[in-house]
């Protein structure tokens, strides 16, 4: 799943990433069992009965938000004889439970006391060479089900009716499901555990005007005489119950293909023209993954559908991925997309069809076998499609998202003790796990690593897997012992905190590298490369760090220009690398990787009075990777005359001609901050761009230079704006507008993503709430900020939200608006009191 699972790591990224880059935290040893909330050992659920086949016949009551279902579930004892069956069935009416014998339903006794599981007394004792079929007549009532979601999946009622009465303007009527982790049992009784596997058939009767999607193939459709249609979907390969899915609504289907298999894209009608732009890389992705893994895509089709009000990011239902609306974008939005969250999600969910669906984690403790792989697939696809710099940038950002929260440092990747299964969906399982796979790949080499994945997949096909089976597969492929690797990275917590220093002995012609691990807790065993650049040549040394402190000495003919520790830039760590400015300058121009150049730019940015640092920053404005060009633009101190004079012509050129729209936007923003009237023509010309990012930057720049011109320009964009342009319009209104523009600003805030809301609260939205002339509008904004602070408090965003509210109070107090000032106090109290 790509979150809010994945979103939980990226949401409020400005807050998190800022912490990660600038700080190094002390680590404590893992103490899972010492935490009173984490003392429960989460054993893999005992397998008493095994699912074999599940048939559902369902229809929907849109008015009541009910599902009426009939189920035939075929099972057999796993090993030991049994005369009972327990099924997960959350909040249902169970009207009839029978054993099916010779085509007849014979009622069985059952107990359903907790409304979560049903205990069924079978008609006899069954052995594991016997199968039996249970018939269940039931009603699912998801909106009456009281279950909690998590940071990853913000609701857990399994079945969702979206705008069922058709009363919400501009929102389609839809029904869809979300099974992970154990919510499929909110819409059909089952053994709702990841280790279970079953074939299935789902028969849906729906209004004839709607499209349906489910797992497997559409076997038949029947038009009924009452305005409905019955669709019969069959999944003929076994998969886990949490991967069952249904979706119903007004969707347009774009038909694509990979080899001889269907590839389909389901979108709202207004986005249908952009289907190929949004999802068109899917066949290439399937081919890439199939060849990389040596296992062809295993299912009969691959469909992707986009729904409204989704409770997470995306979900890898077998053969039928469901995405939230963030994936649904127009041509103009896609101009600025590059390898954005939506593109990453498409890659991530597809990889799950192998890691998660074909082989499924045998328990949530081993969720790494699903999510770490899917996370790492984003890097694999970036490398293949966009180049190594894009992959390395993505890899580094994911590492920062893990490092950004010190709570991650005490968690093992494989965890058998946790408070709630939903806790497993975190930056340790996703971002740290993906980086661990990257290190394993580097250590083993591509051929052995991917051979190991092939063995793991083929050995455990259509079954459940765990981390130890991955270890055995990689050991079989490589011939190397990996117990040490898995012990420290899979069954241990934290990461190395490295201090690196250097000494050159000119008389002895020796370079000494001093390595220290300064973290608390375990000592990490680290294999990596050290590249020594001297005399115009690079010599690579493969080394091991086995202790908390190691000293390495190299014979070198002349003083090295650079000693580059971790030459492949693959270690998951924080580090203090005591290089000189001259060494970082050499590193930028000679070491080849993204992170080599990133580190040099980052160091130079802190030494901008030095000519050598200026040389790096000016050169980086033309770096081959657009992300580093943007980094350099944003790092420039344009108040420094030398930098200003050297950078200005480059920025002017970038603003008008760079091939990347985000670089052009960044250059325009940098020029805008200069408030030089000579740049006004560049800004005005940029307003005609098709790129929302460029338009937004240009409008912001004009607003800084001449606010009076910006206000009418902003009004002209009200009917067509997204992303950066929306933010710019809101900023113009917030700084120069009045209550006349409040409705637009407030609506833009309501329509924004959680990350967008957070950014607006820290900027333009709070500014307008502070100064808008009507107190009722201010209080409307204060209430919205309060609700956001409460809803997302779990992400640690309360302090900046409360800070924004405090600033609003100061502004309202100056306006003698005591009612709004009191509303702020009430809002802050509500956020502080929220659990």
């Amino acid at each position: 799943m790509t979150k809010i699972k994945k979103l939980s790591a990226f949401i409020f990224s400005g807050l998190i990433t800022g912490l990660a880059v600038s700080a190094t935290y002390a680590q404590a040893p893992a103490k899972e069992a010492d935490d009173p909330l984490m003392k429960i050992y989460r054993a893999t659920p005992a397998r008493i009965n095994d699912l074999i086949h599940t048939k559902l016949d369902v229809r929907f009551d849109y008015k009541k938000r009910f599902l009426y279902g009939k189920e035939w579930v075929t099972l057999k004892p796993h090993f030991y004889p049994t005369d009972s069956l327990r099924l997960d069935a959350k909040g249902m009416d169970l009207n009839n439970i029978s054993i099916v014998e010779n085509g007849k339903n014979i009622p069985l006794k059952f107990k359903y006391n907790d409304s979560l599981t049903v205990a069924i007394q079978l008609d006899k004792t069954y052995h594991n060479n016997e199968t039996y079929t249970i018939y269940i007549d039931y009603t699912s009532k998801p909106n009456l089900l009281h279950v909690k979601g998590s940071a990853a999946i913000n609701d857990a009622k399994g079945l969702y009716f979206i705008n069922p009465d058709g009363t919400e303007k501009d929102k389609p009527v839809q029904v869809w499901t979300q099974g992970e982790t154990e919510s499929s049992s909110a819409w059909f009784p089952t053994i709702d555990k990841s280790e279970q596997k079953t074939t299935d058939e789902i028969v849906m009767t729906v209004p004839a005007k709607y499209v349906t999607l489910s797992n497997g193939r559409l076997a038949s459709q029947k038009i009924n005489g009452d305005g409905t249609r019955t669709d019969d979907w069959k999944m003929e390969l076994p998969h886990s119950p949490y991967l069952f899915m249904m979706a119903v609504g007004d969707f347009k289907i774009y038909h694509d293909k990979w080899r001889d298999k269907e590839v389909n894209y389901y979108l709202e009608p207004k986005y249908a023209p952009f289907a190929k732009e949004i999802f068109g890389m899917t066949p290439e992705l399937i081919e890439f993954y199939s060849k990389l893994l040596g296992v062809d895509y295993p299912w009969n089709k691959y469909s992707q559908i986009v729904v409204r009000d989704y409770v997470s990011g995306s979900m890898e239902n077998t053969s039928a991925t469901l995405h939230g609306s963030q994936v649904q974008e127009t041509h103009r939005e896609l101009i600025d997309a590059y390898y954005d969250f939506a593109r990453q999600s498409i890659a991530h969910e597809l990889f799950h069809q192998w890691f998660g669906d074909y082989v499924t984690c045998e328990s949530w403790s081993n969720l790494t076998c699903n999510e770490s792989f899917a996370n790492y697939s984003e890097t694999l696809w970036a490398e293949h499609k966009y180049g190594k710099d894009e992959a390395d940038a993505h890899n580094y950002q994911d590492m920062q998202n893990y490092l950004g929260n010190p709570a991650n440092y005490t968690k093992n990747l494989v965890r058998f003790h946790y408070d709630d299964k939903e806790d497993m969906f975190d930056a340790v399982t996703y971002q740290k796990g993906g980086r661990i796979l990257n290190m394993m790949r580097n250590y083993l080499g591509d051929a052995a690593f991917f051979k190991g994945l092939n063995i793991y997949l083929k050995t455990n096909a259509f079954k459940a897997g765990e981390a130890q089976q991955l270890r055995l597969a990689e050991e079989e492929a490589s011939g190397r012992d990996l117990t040490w690797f898995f012990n420290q990275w899979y069954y241990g917590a934290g990461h190395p905190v490295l201090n690196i220093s250097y000494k050159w002995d000119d008389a002895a012609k020796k370079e000494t590298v001093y390595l220290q691990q300064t973290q608390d807790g375990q000592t990490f065993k680290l294999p990596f490369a050290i590249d020594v650049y001297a005399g115009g040549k690079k010599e690579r040394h493969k080394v091991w760090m086995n202790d908390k402190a190691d000293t390495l000495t190299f014979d070198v003919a002349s003083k090295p220009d650079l000693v580059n520790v971790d030459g492949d830039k693959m270690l998951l760590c924080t580090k203090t690398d005591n290089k000189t400015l001259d060494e970082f300058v050499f590193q930028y121009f000679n070491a080849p990787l993204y992170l080599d150049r990133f580190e040099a730019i980052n160091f130079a940015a802190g030494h901008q009075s030095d000519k050598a640092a200026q040389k790096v920053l000016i050169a980086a404005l033309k770096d081959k990777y657009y992300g580093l060009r943007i980094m350099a633009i944003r790092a420039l101190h344009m108040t420094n005359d030398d930098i200003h004079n050297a950078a200005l012509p480059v920025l002017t050129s970038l603003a008008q001609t760079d091939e990347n729209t985000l670089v052009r936007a960044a250059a325009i923003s940098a020029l805008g901050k200069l408030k030089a009237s000579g740049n006004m023509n560049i800004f005005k010309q940029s307003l005609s761009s098709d790129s929302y990012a460029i338009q937004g930057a240009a409008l912001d720049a004009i607003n800084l230079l001449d606010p009076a011109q910006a206000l009418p320009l902003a009004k002209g964009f009200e009917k067509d704006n997204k992303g950066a342009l929306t933010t710019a319009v809101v900023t113009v209104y917030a700084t120069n507008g009045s209550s006349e523009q409040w409705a637009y600003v407030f609506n833009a805030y309501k329509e924004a993503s959680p990350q967008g809301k957070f950014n607006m609260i820290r900027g333009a939205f709070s500014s307008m709430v502070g100064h808008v002339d009507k107190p009722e509008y201010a209080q409307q904004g204060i209430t919205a900020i309060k609700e956001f602070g409460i809803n997302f408090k779990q992400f640690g965003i309360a302090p900046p939200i409360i800070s924004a509210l405090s600033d609003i109070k100061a502004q309202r107090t100056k306006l003698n608006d005591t009612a709004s000032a009191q509303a702020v106090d009430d809002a802050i109290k509500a956020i502080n009191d929220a659990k």
Side-chain angles (χ1 to χ4, degrees):
M1 170 171 278
T2 316
K3 315 157 248 224
I4 290 186
K5 246 175 217 190
K6 181 166 185 193
L7 275 171
S8 65
F10 286 97
I11 206 168
F12 322 126
S13 57
L15 175 69
I16 292 174
T17 303
L19 290 172
V21 171
S22 61
T24 299
Y25 299 94
Q27 293 179 47
K31 295 186 290 187
E32 291 181 315
D34 294 339
D35 187 332
L37 289 177
M38 303 181 74
K39 285 185 176 179
I40 301 173
Y41 171 65
R42 301 294 181 176
T44 300
R47 296 178 66 173
I48 299 170
N49 288 282
D50 287 341
L51 298 170
I52 296 175
H53 182 70
T54 304
K55 180 178 178 180
L56 304 175
D57 188 339
V58 304
R59 61 185 61 231
F60 306 97
D61 187 329
Y62 286 80
K63 185 175 182 180
K64 292 183 178 180
R65 285 68 159 161
F66 288 178
L67 175 150
Y68 303 116
K70 296 179 180 180
E71 176 175 8
W72 296 262
V73 56
T74 302
L75 309 98
K76 74 176 188 68
H78 179 74
F79 186 81
Y80 299 105
T82 184
D83 63 356
S84 64
L85 168 66
R86 183 174 292 274
L87 297 177
D88 300 294
K90 299 182 176 74
M92 298 179 180
D93 290 340
L94 300 177
N95 306 314
N96 180 289
I97 299 180
S98 298
I99 191 84
V100 180
E101 291 188 358
N102 300 318
K104 293 183 180 181
N105 296 334
I106 301 173
L108 298 173
K109 293 180 180 180
F110 63 90
K111 293 181 180 179
Y112 187 47
N113 296 328
D114 61 3
S115 294
L116 295 174
T117 63
V118 56
I120 303 168
Q121 183 63 48
L122 300 176
D123 61 321
K124 68 172 189 175
T125 296
Y126 287 87
H127 296 76
N128 70 351
N129 61 350
E130 298 176 284
T131 64
Y132 60 93
T133 299
I134 299 293
Y135 167 78
I136 306 173
D137 184 304
Y138 68 97
T139 302
S140 166
K141 303 182 289 186
N143 286 19
L144 303 181
L145 181 61
H146 299 292
V147 289
K148 73 182 185 77
S150 67
I153 309 164
N154 63 35
D155 199 288
K157 62 186 182 183
L159 175 65
Y160 297 83
F161 290 85
I162 307 303
N163 193 22
D165 302 319
T167 55
E168 297 182 67
K169 184 181 178 183
D170 298 327
K171 179 177 284 188
V173 176
Q174 296 176 348
V175 178
W176 47 262
T177 61
Q178 167 57 36
E180 195 173 30
T181 47
E182 296 174 7
S183 296
S184 285
S185 50
W187 60 277
F188 68 97
T190 188
I191 304 174
D192 207 353
K193 303 301 176 186
S194 63
E195 63 185 351
Q196 289 284 337
K197 297 275 185 169
T198 173
T199 55
D200 78 71
E201 179 179 2
I202 299 179
V203 180
M204 285 181 267
T205 298
V206 302
K209 62 183 177 180
Y210 292 144
V211 169
T212 70
L213 176 64
S214 189
N215 315 99
R217 64 184 177 89
L218 181 56
S220 68
Q221 292 185 299
K222 176 187 174 184
I223 301 296
N224 304 313
D226 58 356
T228 66
R229 188 187 70 252
T230 299
D231 291 355
D232 187 351
W233 291 86
K234 293 184 177 182
M235 167 54 78
E236 289 145 332
L237 295 171
H239 63 141
S240 297
Y242 80 87
L243 297 167
F244 282 34
M245 73 85 69
M246 301 185 297
V248 182
D250 181 13
F251 299 100
K252 295 295 184 184
I253 308 173
Y254 183 97
H255 298 286
D256 210 337
K257 66 181 296 186
W258 171 74
R259 298 184 186 173
D260 60 346
K261 293 187 177 183
E262 291 181 31
V263 176
N264 303 313
Y265 318 132
Y266 292 66
L267 293 154
E268 291 176 34
K270 68 178 180 180
Y271 289 97
F274 314 113
K276 189 71 171 178
E277 284 186 87
I278 295 169
F279 291 119
M281 73 281 211
T282 303
E284 183 184 354
L285 260 169
I286 299 174
E287 182 71 14
F288 171 62
Y289 289 160
S290 295
K291 288 184 176 179
L292 188 70
L293 298 171
V295 176
D296 284 349
Y297 177 78
W299 313 104
N300 71 299
K301 68 138 190 327
Y302 187 58
S303 292
Q304 296 175 88
I305 189 167
V306 183
V307 302
R308 291 290 190 98
D309 297 350
Y310 186 46
V311 294
S312 192
S314 301
M315 180 64 208
E316 65 274 12
N317 308 299
T318 312
S319 78
T321 286
L322 189 151
H323 294 285
S325 57
Q326 73 280 349
V327 173
Q328 210 159 228
E329 295 177 301
T330 65
H331 169 73
R332 291 192 62 195
E333 291 174 279
L334 290 165
I335 289 173
D336 300 322
Y338 300 100
Y339 195 44
D340 67 352
F341 174 65
R343 257 53 34 215
Q344 295 161 24
S345 296
I346 291 168
H348 177 115
E349 300 308 328
L350 176 60
F351 208 66
H352 268 312
Q353 300 297 316
W354 287 266
F355 292 91
D357 298 6
Y358 188 59
V359 180
T360 307
C361 64
E362 56 89 35
S363 70
W364 302 117
S365 294
N366 277 277
L367 184 61
T368 178
C369 294
N370 291 10
E371 296 298 350
S372 299
F373 279 107
N375 174 275
Y376 188 48
S377 74
E378 300 165 24
T379 297
L380 295 173
W381 175 243
E383 182 179 347
H384 172 78
K385 184 66 175 177
Y386 304 101
K388 186 162 176 55
D389 280 346
E390 188 72 69
D392 288 351
H394 185 72
N395 200 62
Y396 178 73
Q397 184 59 58
D398 270 4
M399 184 171 73
Q400 296 308 310
N401 281 316
Y402 156 73
L403 293 171
N405 183 358
N408 294 329
Y409 303 172
T410 58
K411 298 176 182 178
N412 296 352
L413 182 58
V414 177
R415 271 165 272 165
F416 295 104
H417 298 84
Y418 52 80
D419 181 30
D420 189 284
K421 60 188 179 300
E422 306 297 338
D423 299 340
M424 294 299 299
F425 295 86
D426 60 11
V428 176
T429 296
Y430 283 76
Q431 284 78 22
K432 184 183 183 185
R435 312 295 67 72
I436 289 169
L437 289 170
N438 189 53
M439 289 189 292
M440 190 192 306
R441 176 190 174 190
N442 181 270
Y443 172 63
L444 296 177
D446 280 10
F449 176 73
F450 290 112
K451 178 61 177 177
L453 299 191
N454 175 270
I455 293 170
Y456 172 79
L457 289 171
K458 289 182 175 179
T459 302
N460 302 291
F462 303 112
K463 296 186 292 187
E466 61 171 276
Q468 292 291 8
Q469 290 165 312
L470 174 64
R471 176 182 64 81
L472 292 171
E474 292 292 357
E475 287 182 342
E476 180 181 342
S478 67
R480 294 181 179 178
D481 172 70
L482 291 173
T483 299
W484 66 271
F485 185 93
F486 277 74
N487 282 348
Q488 75 180 19
W489 290 115
Y490 280 77
Y491 301 101
H495 56 270
V497 178
L498 297 178
N499 187 289
I500 309 166
S501 56
Y502 310 88
K503 180 181 178 181
W504 168 247
D505 185 333
D506 192 57
K509 303 298 181 185
K510 292 184 182 293
E511 176 74 17
T512 302
V513 180
Y514 301 97
L515 303 170
Q516 285 186 303
Q517 296 185 33
T518 62
Q519 74 280 356
D520 295 328
Q522 67 168 314
T523 300
F524 287 84
K525 185 176 182 178
L526 303 174
F528 54 87
I530 294 181
D531 293 333
V532 178
Y533 292 79
K537 297 179 181 180
K538 180 182 82 172
E539 184 174 354
R540 168 155 290 197
H541 303 270
K542 292 186 176 181
V543 303
W544 287 76
M545 184 179 187
N546 295 306
D547 301 304
K548 274 290 183 79
D550 273 347
T551 300
L552 304 173
T553 303
F554 305 100
D555 294 320
V556 190
S558 59
K559 179 177 171 55
D561 297 297
L562 173 69
V563 177
N564 199 9
V565 174
D566 185 21
D568 290 327
K569 293 295 180 284
M570 57 80 204
L571 286 179
L572 170 60
C573 67
T574 58
K575 65 180 180 180
T576 301
D577 197 349
N578 295 286
K579 293 174 183 163
T580 65
L581 174 59
D582 286 343
E583 287 167 334
F584 274 117
V585 171
F586 184 92
Q587 180 171 306
Y588 179 81
F589 290 104
N590 294 277
L593 300 180
Y594 162 85
L595 201 51
D596 292 317
R597 287 149 32 230
F598 176 96
E599 290 174 351
I601 295 168
N602 192 52
F603 192 85
H607 299 79
Q608 297 199 33
S609 60
D610 192 291
K611 296 290 186 182
Q614 294 171 14
K615 179 182 177 183
V616 169
L617 292 174
I618 299 305
L621 294 175
K622 298 181 180 179
D623 193 278
K624 64 179 182 176
Y625 178 59
Y626 73 91
L628 292 181
R629 298 201 295 278
I630 292 170
M631 179 185 181
I633 291 169
R634 292 174 177 171
L636 293 172
H637 291 173
M638 295 296 284
T639 53
N640 180 300
D641 287 342
D642 290 335
I643 290 175
H644 180 280
N645 293 336
L648 186 60
V650 183
L651 288 174
T652 302
S653 175
L654 293 175
Q656 298 174 88
T657 64
D658 196 277
E659 63 182 7
N660 185 283
T661 60
L662 302 182
V663 174
R664 288 184 61 190
I668 291 167
S669 295
L671 293 175
K673 292 174 183 177
L674 299 177
K675 299 182 181 180
S677 58
N679 292 322
M680 182 62 87
N681 285 338
I682 293 175
F683 304 151
K684 287 185 175 180
Q685 289 169 8
S686 298
L687 291 175
S688 63
S689 172
D690 286 338
S691 161
Y692 288 127
I694 292 173
Q695 285 184 312
L699 183 59
D700 276 334
I702 293 170
N703 189 44
L704 290 171
L705 189 58
D706 188 348
Q709 284 196 56
L711 191 60
L713 289 170
K715 290 180 180 179
F717 289 120
E718 282 192 6
K719 292 183 179 180
D720 182 12
N721 61 85
K722 295 283 185 179
L725 182 56
T726 302
T727 302
V729 171
V730 170
T731 299
V732 171
Y733 286 168
T735 53
N736 308 311
S738 65
S739 57
E740 180 183 347
Q741 283 79 44
W742 171 255
Y744 177 88
V745 171
F746 188 61
N747 185 66
Y749 172 83
K750 290 191 297 182
E751 294 295 320
S753 67
Q755 182 71 61
K757 285 185 172 72
F758 183 67
N759 294 340
M760 291 174 72
I761 289 170
R762 294 199 299 169
F765 184 67
S766 291
S767 174
M768 192 163 196
V769 173
H771 73 70
V772 67
D773 52 347
K774 291 188 176 182
E776 60 267 33
Y777 290 165
Q779 290 160 38
Q780 191 178 28
I782 291 164
T783 298
I785 295 171
K786 176 190 71 175
E787 292 172 350
F788 184 87
I790 292 171
N791 291 339
F792 292 94
K793 186 178 180 180
Q794 62 190 310
F795 293 102
I797 51 85
I801 297 298
I802 289 172
S803 176
L805 285 167
S806 299
D807 291 341
I808 290 169
K809 180 182 178 181
Q811 290 177 282
R812 301 314 302 181
T813 300
K814 289 181 180 178
L815 297 173
N816 296 316
D817 181 6
T818 56
S820 296
Q822 182 60 51
V824 169
D825 288 338
D826 294 342
I828 291 174
K829 183 178 186 302
I831 294 171
N832 284 329
D833 290 346
K835 301 298 183 184

